Amino acid sequence: MRFRSLLFPLLACGGGGYFAYHLQTGDHGLQARADLEKRKAVLAGELAGLKEVRKRLDRDVALLRPESLDPDMLDERARAILNLAHPDDLVMLKRRVPAETPGASPKR
């Protein structure tokens, strides 16, 4: 008789514990929601960066359209793509510092 009176409360506590555990750690639980919120914030930042890149590319494309062709922009892109320079251009080269080898002694 005493066992029967404790059976329903024990089953209710067990069921409540089961649902509480899955509320916290389940596939759609609180931890999963927090992870999704973090991922949402990261992706929102990435989206903002990509929108800036798109604006810049749209601006560059607008400068190359036939109705609003910018000769300087056309010249710059052609030289960059063809890897050419005008004979009157002044080209300044930067000196690269040689990479140090692990066993080399410093020069004086």
Side-chain angles (χ1 to χ4, degrees), residues 34-78:
D35 292 341
L36 286 175
E37 291 294 329
K38 288 177 188 174
R39 183 157 167 78
K40 179 183 171 184
V42 168
L43 291 176
E46 187 177 334
L47 178 63
L50 291 174
K51 283 184 178 181
E52 290 297 320
V53 170
R54 181 174 178 157
K55 283 181 187 177
R56 186 179 42 124
L57 290 174
D58 285 342
R59 186 189 71 235
D60 291 347
V61 168
L63 292 173
L64 292 174
R65 290 208 172 102
E67 59 271 1
S68 64
L69 186 61
D70 183 15
D72 290 334
M73 182 68 163
L74 180 64
D75 184 51
E76 176 188 334
R77 293 306 309 147

Side-chain angles (χ1 to χ4, degrees), residues 3-51:
F3 178 72
R4 276 191 155 174
S5 64
L6 292 176
L7 184 62
F8 180 73
L10 286 176
L11 288 176
C13 286
Y18 172 81
F19 286 115
Y21 172 78
H22 285 287
L23 173 71
Q24 179 66 27
T25 61
D27 290 342
H28 303 287
L30 297 175
Q31 285 180 349
R33 184 182 179 113
D35 292 341
L36 286 175
E37 291 294 329
K38 288 177 188 174
R39 183 157 167 78
K40 179 183 171 184
V42 168
L43 291 176
E46 187 177 334
L47 178 63
L50 291 174
K51 283 184 178 181

